[in-house]
Amino acid sequence: MSAELPDRPKPPELSGVDLARQALVAAKEQARARGAAAQQKKQARRGGLRSGARADGRDPLPLGAAINRLITERGWETPAAVGGVMGRWPQLVGPEVAQHCEPQRYDEDARVLTVQCDSTAWATQLRLLAPQLVRRLNEDLGQGTVKVIKVLGPGGPARRYGALRAPGSKGPGDTYG
């Protein structure tokens, strides 16, 4: 007993125009390969790559263009832009806020900018201004670069532990942050 396979549809046969297109594509690929091989032989006979009359990747660049190319090749656009924000902080937030609040670090993965304030009053003020500041930073850096601003209060004085310390107390650190 033989099991017969169902009839499979045969792929359509190519017409003359389609065959000609396939042949043209194959011929172009072969010519490209032969041209690349000939170019490599020619360069090997001349002693390697040499600069010609036209601009190529080996030509000298102005310093700014070289730095921009390096930043782009390495994927450092966002860290470089955020570093620029840290340098232009007073222009972005205003001189009064910049006098009391300073950017500390940027977490690229979480897209969080951490800012340290010199008093709890300024920390509270900056927490209230955070949504507007996030919007302003994203307008400058690109949408979604900064999602959250983490505001830190002032660091308290060094904690001293001694005989007259109440159990569970954080000492003078209770009033800071």
Side-chain angles (χ1 to χ4, degrees):
M1 185 168 180
S2 68
E4 291 186 28
L5 297 174
D7 289 333
R8 292 184 188 166
K10 293 181 181 179
E13 291 187 24
L14 299 175
S15 67
V17 174
D18 294 329
L19 288 172
R21 282 188 186 128
Q22 281 185 345
L24 179 63
V25 167
K28 284 182 177 180
E29 288 176 8
Q30 290 173 356
R32 196 175 298 123
R34 281 193 309 269
Q39 183 69 19
Q40 286 176 349
K41 281 183 185 178
K42 186 176 175 184
Q43 287 175 352
R45 276 191 305 245
R46 287 192 319 190
L49 292 172
R50 294 194 179 169
S51 183
R54 293 184 181 86
D56 63 8
R58 298 166 292 150
D59 290 340
L61 295 172
L63 182 61
I67 289 173
N68 288 337
R69 185 166 134 187
L70 178 69
I71 287 172
T72 303
E73 287 174 356
R74 303 287 171 118
W76 293 341
E77 290 94 355
T78 301
V82 171
V85 163
M86 296 206 182
R88 294 181 294 124
W89 183 252
Q91 290 87 16
L92 292 171
V93 297
E96 188 177 10
V97 175
Q99 185 178 1
H100 298 282
C101 304
E102 178 182 341
Q104 296 294 312
R105 63 186 160 275
Y106 174 72
D107 182 4
E108 189 175 353
D109 297 329
R111 300 189 184 270
V112 175
L113 178 66
T114 304
V115 179
Q116 176 88 41
C117 296
D118 62 1
S119 71
T120 55
W122 275 104
T124 303
Q125 183 68 23
L126 195 65
R127 284 184 189 107
L128 294 173
L129 292 173
Q132 296 167 4
L133 190 55
V134 167
R135 186 172 13 90
R136 188 180 306 168
L137 290 171
N138 283 330
E139 286 172 1
D140 192 50
L141 300 173
Q143 205 57 23
T145 304
V146 177
K147 290 185 179 179
V148 177
I149 294 180
K150 182 179 177 183
V151 180
L152 303 176
R159 295 183 181 161
R160 292 184 213 111
Y161 299 101
L164 299 176
R165 186 170 161 265
S169 168
K170 293 181 181 177
D174 281 343
T175 59
Y176 290 92

